[in-house]
Amino acid sequence: MQTVRFITFGCKANQYDTQLLRETLLRRGWNEAREAELVVVNTCTVTAEAGRKARQVIRRIGRETPTARICVTGCLAESEPELLRELPNVEWVLGNGEAKRPVHFLRQLGEEVDPEELGIPSGITEFAGHTRAFLKIQDGCDKACAFCIIPSVRGPSRSRPADELAAEVRGLLAGGFREIVLCGIHIGHWGRDLGQSLGHLLECLSEVEHPSAEDWRLRLSSIEATEVDDGVLGVLAGRPDRIAPHLHMPLQSGDDAVLAAMNRWYTSAQYLAACERIRSRLDRPAFTADVLVGFDGEEEPSFENTLRTAREAGFARIHVFPFSPRPGTAAERPLRLPDPGLVRERRARLSELAGELATAYRRGLDGARDRIVVEAGGVGLSGRYQRVRIDPTDFGSTGPAPIEEVELGAVDTAEGEVELRGRPLAVSTP
Ligand code: SF4
């Protein structure tokens, strides 16, 4: 076999895993093609819907490219290997962890491999099709949230060593990436198995230098509010040039009884206290969150507590998910599930609030400084995870550098939205 196609579902950690497998094969002379001999499907099982979509795609490949041999990997391959093996053209079902490591992967495909071989990547150097690179710093989770299947398909938290990650950051900077997103399944637990802490890792990584990358930054992908400790916050506050002031902190619910039923380990007051602590050290940080609506036992007053908590947190963005019981989790048989119409209504109400809060947050950024990673088409992504419109001619005759520091202006648009515009603080010199 010489041609391969990759299809990825799910989270940033999965996208990282796919990239590692892609580099593993490309370095051995394989080529990517749409009509490929081998199709690697890296799956997700976080919701029943994610699993259904993956199975649908696998069946479609079997129909459309009957000669393709399919390798299914990822979380669905852990949770339902037998079902996947029965699908047409599926030849390998590899799961997560070791099963997905390059050496094992190559051997499964029938390639001869010497683990010491220089061509086998231990990390990634590219991130196909993206302007920002995702770097997986750990895998697995030691918690047991009632709605979540991830710990059973990814296992306990395992951290990658800081020096290996620093080398990978260097390689990505050499490859031209100027934003590196630290991702994993539970990144706040990075280092627990190594006797180290996430704050320590952030310090190490923010010191990384590369001659071709004067300016670059890190972003944390998703971190629990209770795990933004003094070490993490100290680096965020001390290196605003290196770490984006954006924290995606899953809330899940703003009601203490629902949080307890979800087996989450904090109260809404503790969550809000974490927001306040962070806000006192950073200039207008962006808080974004995941919220699950319609969890078992969520009554109208509990949902209103969620609305109140979201309002007080002042989220810049909320990802609203309707709860659906997931087989294999503690919450698979809910006692008092709200009816689907009610869940839809709550989802709509929270989404409406999310829109209002996002607009208010953008308006509040008027006059703030931010650093944008410049993208095509006169826009950039700010450290606070906002799209910012720029006029490239404002940045001198050579146009903007890959990262530019700007002053933000919040402008009301005719559609009733608030748009952020970025003006340079100083015109770049060629
Ligand atoms: S912290 Fe909870 S929701 Fe997040 S991966 Fe672990 S068990 Fe799942």
Side-chain angles (χ1 to χ4, degrees):
M1 289 185 292
Q2 277 308 311
T3 52
V4 60
R5 178 180 171 198
F6 291 94
I7 298 172
T8 311
F9 292 90
C11 62
K12 294 183 174 75
N14 239 19
Q15 295 181 46
Y16 176 91
D17 291 344
T18 294
Q19 181 60 25
L20 187 58
L21 297 180
R22 174 181 285 118
E23 292 194 24
T24 302
L25 290 187
L26 297 192
R27 282 194 197 185
R28 297 191 135 232
W30 288 59
N31 292 306
E32 285 191 83
R34 203 178 149 78
E35 303 275 305
E37 295 148 274
L38 170 67
V39 181
V40 179
V41 187
N42 194 0
T43 57
C44 171
T45 188
V46 73
T47 60
E49 176 64 9
R52 195 188 59 76
K53 272 193 191 150
R55 282 190 298 273
Q56 199 179 41
V57 163
I58 293 165
R59 280 200 199 89
R60 192 182 326 128
I61 298 164
R63 274 196 313 275
E64 291 174 359
T65 324
T67 54
R69 301 165 77 188
I70 301 175
C71 170
V72 190
T73 182
C75 293
L76 195 64
E78 285 285 344
S79 66
E80 47 185 65
E82 298 312 326
L83 280 177
L84 291 170
R85 270 191 199 101
E86 284 166 15
L87 296 179
N89 300 42
V90 171
E91 220 161 294
W92 302 270
V93 177
L94 291 185
N96 279 323
E98 271 312 298
K100 238 182 192 179
R101 301 288 310 157
V103 170
H104 182 91
F105 175 65
L106 289 169
R107 286 194 176 137
Q108 288 291 317
L109 297 183
E111 299 248 328
E112 291 211 353
V113 192
D114 171 359
E116 302 302 317
E117 204 181 302
L118 286 173
I120 297 181
S122 60
I124 65 169
T125 57
E126 236 305 317
F127 211 75
H130 292 74
T131 49
R132 307 181 297 143
F134 299 157
L135 174 59
K136 189 171 84 174
I137 62 171
Q138 64 81 241
D139 206 329
C141 178
D142 298 333
K143 295 284 189 186
C145 300
F147 52 80
C148 183
I149 198 165
I150 300 300
S152 66
V153 290
R154 291 250 180 199
S157 179
R158 281 120 32 228
S159 311
R160 297 182 59 205
D163 53 354
E164 185 178 306
L165 293 167
E168 202 161 335
V169 166
R170 225 168 277 123
L172 289 165
L173 295 177
F177 291 94
R178 294 297 172 261
E179 179 171 312
I180 297 171
V181 184
L182 303 182
C183 66
I185 302 302
H186 195 123
I187 68 169
H189 280 183
W190 183 90
R192 288 192 175 191
D193 48 334
L194 306 174
Q196 295 171 0
S197 67
L198 182 62
H200 166 75
L201 177 68
L202 292 179
E203 257 172 49
C204 296
L205 298 186
S206 43
E207 297 299 325
V208 171
E209 289 182 359
H210 189 275
S212 70
E214 211 170 282
D215 204 3
W216 62 279
R217 74 171 169 223
L218 296 163
R219 184 187 298 278
L220 299 174
S221 62
S222 173
I223 182 165
E224 299 293 347
T226 52
E227 289 160 11
V228 184
D229 58 17
D230 288 344
V232 171
L233 194 48
V235 192
L236 276 160
R239 292 300 307 262
D241 57 323
R242 272 289 180 269
I243 310 189
H246 166 213
L247 291 155
H248 182 82
M249 305 188 295
L251 170 66
Q252 307 304 6
S253 169
D255 180 79
D256 294 348
V258 174
L259 283 169
M262 287 175 165
N263 205 22
R264 301 287 287 177
W265 51 92
Y266 51 84
T267 61
S268 57
Q270 285 168 327
Y271 185 97
L272 291 171
C275 295
E276 253 341 281
R277 237 177 81 250
I278 299 164
R279 225 175 237 131
S280 70
R281 302 278 308 272
L282 308 179
D283 177 25
R284 291 169 263 190
F287 298 136
T288 57
D290 301 324
V291 178
L292 204 53
V293 291
F295 191 72
D296 190 11
E298 183 188 82
E299 306 287 353
E300 179 59 24
S302 17
F303 177 65
E304 281 169 16
N305 282 337
T306 295
L307 294 177
R308 180 187 50 76
T309 308
R311 209 173 279 118
E312 284 181 35
F315 290 125
R317 185 178 297 191
I318 305 176
H319 299 270
V320 186
F321 297 96
F323 171 63
S324 63
R326 185 83 188 86
T329 64
E332 71 178 317
R333 280 191 208 89
L335 298 173
R336 297 164 293 162
L337 191 64
D339 76 80
L342 203 61
V343 173
R344 266 197 304 279
E345 187 215 298
R346 287 183 186 163
R347 189 183 190 181
R349 282 163 67 197
L350 184 56
S351 301
E352 194 184 325
L353 174 65
E356 283 167 27
L357 294 176
T359 303
Y361 179 71
R362 276 198 294 276
R363 184 165 281 126
L365 291 179
D366 194 48
R369 287 181 174 199
D370 208 330
R371 294 162 71 252
I372 57 168
V373 170
V374 177
E375 298 171 348
V379 289
L381 182 68
S382 79
R384 297 179 178 92
Y385 208 59
Q386 303 292 314
R387 294 268 163 230
V388 175
R389 189 151 288 287
I390 54 168
D391 180 348
T393 61
D394 285 345
F395 295 82
S397 55
T398 53
I403 294 196
E404 285 285 359
E405 186 157 18
V406 294
E407 181 173 320
L408 299 175
V411 179
D412 285 282
T413 66
E415 294 77 37
E417 305 270 317
V418 171
E419 183 181 273
L420 289 172
R421 308 235 170 113
R423 304 256 313 156
L425 293 178
V427 173
S428 333
T429 44

